[in-house]
Structures are given as C-alpha cells and as structure tokens.
C-alpha cells in the first residue's frame, strides 16, 4: 500500500513540476513580449516628438503597435474628447505618453497595441491537456488504491488466518464489483471449514466409541476361538464328533469377527464419501469447454498430445462441477501414471446415454490390480513412488453413481481408458 501511495505522490509531483515549468516558459515569453512592444512604442515616440505637429505614422513595419492617437493640450479640458481618447477597445491594450517640444507641453500620445503570441497559446493548451491527463491518471490510481488494493490487503490476511485454524472471525461483506463474490466465497469456505472441524471432532469421538464397543464385542468370539483352539491342541476332545463341533464353533466365531471388520470398513467409507451432488442438468459443451480450458495448455507444457474428438452437444443429467471433478481426476492420474505421450477424449452414444471415453497411453497394471482400481484406499504397484491416498477413482465411482451414471475401465492396446456413462 505504501509503495502504491508513493507512486501516486510521484505522479502528483511530476505534474506540479511540469506545470510550473510551463508557467515559467509563459512568463518568460510575456517578459520578452513586453520588451519588444515597448521598443516599438519608444521608436515611434522618438520619431513623433521631433516635430511640432502630430502626423499619424506609417505602422506597416511594426508588429505590435496598431495605431497612434493624439490628444492636444487644448482638448484635455473637453470631457467628451478626453473620454473618447481614453476609451478602452476590446482586445487592444494601450499606453499613454506626454508630448513635449522642448519644455513646451503639446498634449498626449496614445499607443494602441496588441500582444499576439502563438507560443503562449500552445503552452496554455499543453498546460490544459497535462492537467486533464494528470487528473485522469491520479483518479484511476486512487480508484485502484481504494477499490482494489485496500480491500485486497484486508482479504490477504484471511487465508493465513484460516491456515492457522482461526475459523471464528468473519469478514465484513464487500459490495465492490471485484471482491464481493471473493469475500462471500471466503466466508463460505470459513464456515465449511468450521463445520468440518466440528464434524471431524464428532467423528473422532464416535470412532473411539465404536472401537471401544467393537473391541469389547470382539473379545467374546476371540476368547471362544482361543478356548477351542487350546482344547484341540491339548487333545481334550476324545471323539471326532466333538473335534468337528469345536471346529464349527471356531468357524462361526471367525465369521462373527469378519462381520465386525466389515462394519468398520462400511462406517469408514460412509464418513469419507459425504459428497454433495446436485440433481440438475448441464450441456455437454459446457463440460468439455471447461476441460479444454483447464488442461489443454497444461498438456502443451508437458509435451503431451491432448486430443478432443468431435461431439454433438446434448443436455446431460447430473452435476456439471462433479462431472468435471471426475474427468479432472482421470486426467491427473494420466499425468501421474501415463507415459506422457497422449491423452484422448472421445464420445459415443449408447441406450440414451452419453459415453465419454478418456484414453491415456502408458504401462498397464496387472489383471489382479485392475480388478481393484475402484476400491477405497487401494493403490496399484505403479503408484508406490507417487503421492496419493487411493481414493481418487473410488470417489469418481461414487460421484457417477450418485448422478445415476457409472464409470468403468478398459485395457487398451497401448494404455488404459476410463469411460463415463452419463444420462
């Protein structure tokens, strides 16, 4: 802010210096004019006083003096004549000098002159233009300072406060055209973070209670398994029927423990995937345009061929932002795990559904890994040295199913493809 204030001050100082310089030039020209017209008056006056009678001089060679009038001594007492002699004329200046012949006073000489200076007019025009231009520049700078930089400085602290976990302080709404929506978005983000923080604490508490409860519930079947296992080990059972009965009991208790584990996994998945998907419609073109704007330049920078084949625009059932999230996730995976040669998006129709196929070239994964790519927290062998948590494709599957669609993967000759099914 201080640096920008210095810029405004510099512009004001520059204008003042320039304006003063122009005024100095105008004053200098006026002084020069003053000396020139006075020289002309003195020259004409000296030529007139040599005689005893007034004769109007020839003024063709003079630049400033336009006429010379004479008021005799006897006419000074005549009010009408004297008033006419001293009467002002528009656009004309005059200077009056007494006329003597030796010591004898003859009357007064009036020299009418006009100061025409084109340089002064040009300089005044430049001064006016400079004033207008400076006023516009200073107004723009002040507008930028008050409407953009000052609100931005206030808002710039908010992300840092959010990163520290300060979620209680609200931002005052800004009605400006530049930051109104941004301020609203930051406040929504703050509220969401605060909501998720409270929810996280609640889930953490529930998780601990669940673990304590399940731990207690698992103890009973585990103790039973241990008991029967020890009895078999120590050959307590003397008949095959009793041994088979013990084995069945161990198997039942193992299934009981397995059900507890499935319940834990199910509960964890439900906590993870609380994703809001709007039940709305969008045009296919809007989705593809968003994908092209986001990833075309990125692919160019990575030297990847990004191909989007022709398609017919249609109205699609689903959430535009979530559909873009799914495609973005697949393309980001292509950046991570592909060979960096080609990403191609093609379009098909089948059973009143729009199919969007995203292909990327690269090394294939094994069939066993391929069968689990949509599982939560699953990461294939090619992801060992890559960042991630194994939830990307799992979330994609969840979103597509929430939109009454689906997603599936296929092996290709030189890579893999993912196909989105949208109604």
């Amino acid at each position: 802010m201080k640096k920008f204030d210095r810029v405004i001050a510099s512009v004001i100082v520059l204008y003042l210096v320039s304006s003063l310089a122009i005024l100095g030039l105008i004053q200098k020209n006026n002084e020069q004019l003053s000396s020139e017209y006075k020289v002309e008056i003195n020259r004409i006056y000296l030529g007139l006083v040599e005689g005893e009678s007034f004769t109007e001089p020839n003024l063709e060679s003079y630049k400033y003096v336009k006429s010379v009038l004479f008021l005799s001594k006897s006419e000074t007492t005549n009010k009408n004549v004297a008033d006419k002699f001293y009467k002002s004329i528009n656009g004309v200046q005059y200077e009056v000098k007494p006329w003597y012949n030796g010591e004898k006073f003859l009357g007064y000489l009036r020299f009418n002159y006009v100061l025409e200076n084109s340089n002064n007019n040009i300089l005044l025009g430049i001064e006016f233009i400079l004033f207008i231009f400076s006023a516009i520049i200073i107004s723009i700078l002040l507008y930028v300072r008050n409407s953009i930089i000052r609100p931005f400085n206030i808002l710039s602290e908010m992300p840092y406060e959010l990163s520290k976990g300060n979620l209680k302080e609200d931002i005052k709404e800004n009605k400006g055209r530049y930051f109104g929506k941004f301020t609203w978005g930051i406040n929504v983000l703050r509220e969401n973070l605060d909501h998720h923080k409270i929810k996280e604490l609640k889930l953490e508490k529930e998780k601990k209670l669940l673990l304590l409860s399940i731990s207690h519930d698992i103890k009973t079947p585990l103790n039973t398994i241990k008991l029967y296992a020890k009895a078999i080990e120590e050959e307590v059972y003397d008949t095959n029927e009793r041994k088979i009965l013990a084995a069945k009991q161990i198997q039942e208790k193992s299934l009981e423990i397995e059900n507890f584990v499935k319940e834990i996994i199910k509960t964890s998945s439900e906590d993870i995937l609380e994703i809001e998907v709007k039940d709305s419609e969008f045009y296919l073109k809007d989705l593809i345009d968003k994908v092209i704007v986001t990833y075309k330049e990125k692919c160019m920078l990575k030297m990847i061929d990004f191909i989007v084949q022709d398609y017919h625009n249609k109205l699609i059932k689903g959430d535009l932002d979530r559909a873009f999230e799914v495609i973005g996730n697949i393309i980001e995976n292509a950046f991570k795990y592909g060979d960096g040669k080609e990403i191609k998006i093609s379009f098909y129709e089948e059973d009143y559904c729009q199919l969007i196929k995203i292909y990327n070239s690269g090394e294939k994964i094994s069939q066993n890994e391929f069968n689990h790519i949509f599982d939560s927290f699953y990461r294939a062998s090619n992801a060992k040295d890559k960042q991630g948590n194994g939830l990307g494709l799992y979330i994609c599957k969840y979103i597509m199913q929430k939109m009454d669609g689906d997603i599936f993967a296929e092996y290709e000759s030189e890579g893999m493809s993912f196909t989105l099914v949208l109604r």
Side-chain angles (χ1 to χ4, degrees):
M1 192 67 146
K2 290 181 179 179
K3 289 183 179 179
F4 197 79
D5 288 342
R6 284 198 288 270
V7 171
I8 296 174
S10 300
V11 172
I12 293 172
V13 169
L14 183 63
Y15 163 70
L16 291 174
V17 170
S18 303
S19 182
L20 289 173
I22 292 171
L23 290 174
L25 289 173
I26 292 172
Q27 186 177 0
K28 186 177 179 181
N29 280 335
N30 288 337
E31 290 174 357
Q32 185 178 353
L33 279 175
S34 178
S35 62
E36 288 178 358
Y37 87 79
K38 284 181 180 179
V39 168
E40 288 188 359
I41 289 174
N42 290 333
R43 188 180 299 163
I44 295 168
Y45 179 75
L46 290 174
L48 289 173
V49 296
E50 290 177 356
E52 295 185 4
S53 61
F54 174 76
T55 303
E56 189 169 347
N58 184 6
L59 303 176
E60 290 181 0
S61 61
Y62 293 96
K63 183 178 179 181
Y64 303 105
V65 179
K66 301 302 178 183
S67 63
V68 180
L69 302 177
F70 175 63
L71 180 67
S72 64
K73 180 181 177 182
S74 60
E75 291 175 329
T76 56
T77 57
N78 188 327
K79 187 175 183 304
N80 290 333
V81 175
D83 288 344
K84 186 177 180 181
F85 178 80
Y86 286 105
K87 186 178 180 181
S88 298
I89 303 171
N90 288 336
V92 177
Q93 296 175 287
Y94 66 88
E95 185 174 320
V96 176
K97 285 180 173 286
W99 183 10
Y100 289 91
N101 184 10
E103 294 183 359
K104 183 181 178 183
F105 176 67
L106 300 179
Y108 295 98
L109 293 171
R110 169 174 164 159
F111 298 88
N112 294 323
Y113 62 91
V114 176
L115 295 177
E116 295 179 352
N117 188 351
S118 59
N119 289 338
N120 271 3
N121 294 332
I122 292 170
L123 289 171
L124 286 171
I126 293 171
E127 175 78 12
F128 179 73
I129 292 169
L130 181 64
F131 170 76
I132 297 296
F133 183 73
S134 300
I136 292 170
I137 293 295
I138 293 168
S139 299
I140 292 171
L141 290 173
L142 289 173
Y143 177 77
V144 170
R145 178 187 184 276
N146 295 325
S147 299
I148 299 177
I149 295 178
R150 179 183 286 173
F152 182 77
N153 282 343
I154 295 169
L155 294 173
S156 62
E157 296 295 326
M158 191 61 185
Y160 177 66
E161 293 297 324
L162 291 177
S163 69
K164 292 194 300 182
N166 183 8
L167 307 174
K168 299 299 179 186
E169 185 180 350
D170 201 357
I171 301 180
K172 191 179 290 185
E173 288 291 340
N174 188 324
K175 295 182 180 178
R177 59 184 297 187
Y178 300 106
F179 295 102
K181 193 171 182 180
F182 178 77
T183 305
W184 174 81
I186 286 287
N187 278 329
V188 170
L189 175 62
R190 181 192 59 77
E191 289 170 3
N192 284 338
L193 288 173
D194 194 23
H195 170 73
H196 285 298
K197 186 177 180 181
I198 294 168
K199 183 183 174 184
E200 186 180 350
L201 292 171
K202 184 180 177 182
L203 287 174
E204 190 68 28
K205 183 179 178 181
E206 289 177 356
K207 189 189 295 182
K208 287 183 178 180
L209 290 172
L210 177 65
L211 288 174
L212 287 171
S213 175
I214 291 176
S215 299
H216 181 269
D217 292 339
I218 287 176
K219 278 183 181 179
T220 302
L222 273 178
N223 288 333
T224 304
I225 290 170
K226 284 168 66 178
L227 183 63
Y228 281 114
K230 188 174 182 180
I232 292 170
E233 181 185 7
E234 295 179 356
E235 298 181 351
V236 172
Y237 303 117
D238 52 358
T239 63
N240 286 333
E241 288 81 4
R242 294 183 67 186
K243 288 180 181 179
I244 292 170
L245 181 62
K248 286 182 179 180
Q249 287 294 323
I250 290 173
Q251 189 176 8
E252 286 178 9
K253 298 306 176 184
S254 298
L255 289 172
E256 195 174 330
I257 293 172
E258 187 179 349
N259 288 330
F260 283 131
V261 173
K262 285 181 180 178
E263 188 64 30
I264 293 171
I265 294 171
K266 183 184 176 183
T267 305
S268 301
S269 300
E270 287 173 353
D271 290 340
I272 292 166
L273 294 181
E274 192 176 340
I275 298 172
E276 183 183 353
V277 179
K278 296 177 184 175
D279 184 15
S280 58
E281 297 173 335
F282 63 90
Y283 281 100
L284 179 61
K285 186 178 184 302
D286 293 338
L287 173 62
I288 302 307
D289 286 347
K290 196 172 182 180
V291 171
I292 290 171
V293 168
T294 306
Y295 289 106
K296 187 175 182 180
E297 187 175 355
K298 196 170 181 179
C299 287
M300 286 175 61
L301 294 172
K302 291 177 176 286
M303 306 294 287
I304 299 172
D305 291 335
F306 184 66
I307 302 166
V308 179
Q309 294 188 336
D310 294 335
Y311 61 93
H312 298 290
N313 193 20
K314 294 181 183 66
L315 193 62
I316 304 295
K317 183 179 183 296
D319 187 330
L320 173 62
D321 293 329
R322 293 303 183 190
F324 173 73
E325 183 180 339
V326 171
I327 294 177
N329 202 311
I330 294 168
I331 294 175
E332 292 293 341
N333 281 349
F335 291 153
K336 278 187 189 179
Y337 310 119
D339 59 8
K341 291 181 180 178
E342 182 183 74
I343 297 174
K344 182 169 69 176
I345 303 177
S346 50
F347 305 87
Y348 308 93
E349 294 177 41
E350 189 176 306
D351 296 333
Y352 300 101
C353 290
Q354 177 65 54
L355 276 61
I356 304 174
K357 186 176 182 179
I358 305 165
Y359 161 80
N360 72 275
S361 57
E363 184 182 351
K364 300 176 186 177
I365 59 176
S366 68
Q367 183 63 48
N368 183 52
E369 291 177 322
F370 183 81
N371 294 332
H372 295 283
I373 57 174
F374 290 108
D375 292 347
S376 61
F377 300 109
Y378 181 79
R379 305 197 74 199
S381 57
N382 63 346
K384 287 180 180 177
D385 57 343
K386 309 288 195 308
Q387 271 193 324
N389 51 29
L391 286 172
L393 293 175
Y394 180 60
I395 291 171
C396 288
K397 187 86 169 177
Y398 176 85
I399 289 172
M400 293 306 300
Q401 289 175 347
K402 289 276 281 187
M403 291 196 297
D404 199 19
D406 205 352
I407 181 172
F408 58 89
E410 291 179 287
Y411 276 129
E412 299 286 343
S413 57
E414 295 182 4
M416 285 186 64
S417 68
F418 291 87
T419 302
L420 281 64
V421 181
L422 294 155
R423 294 200 178 277

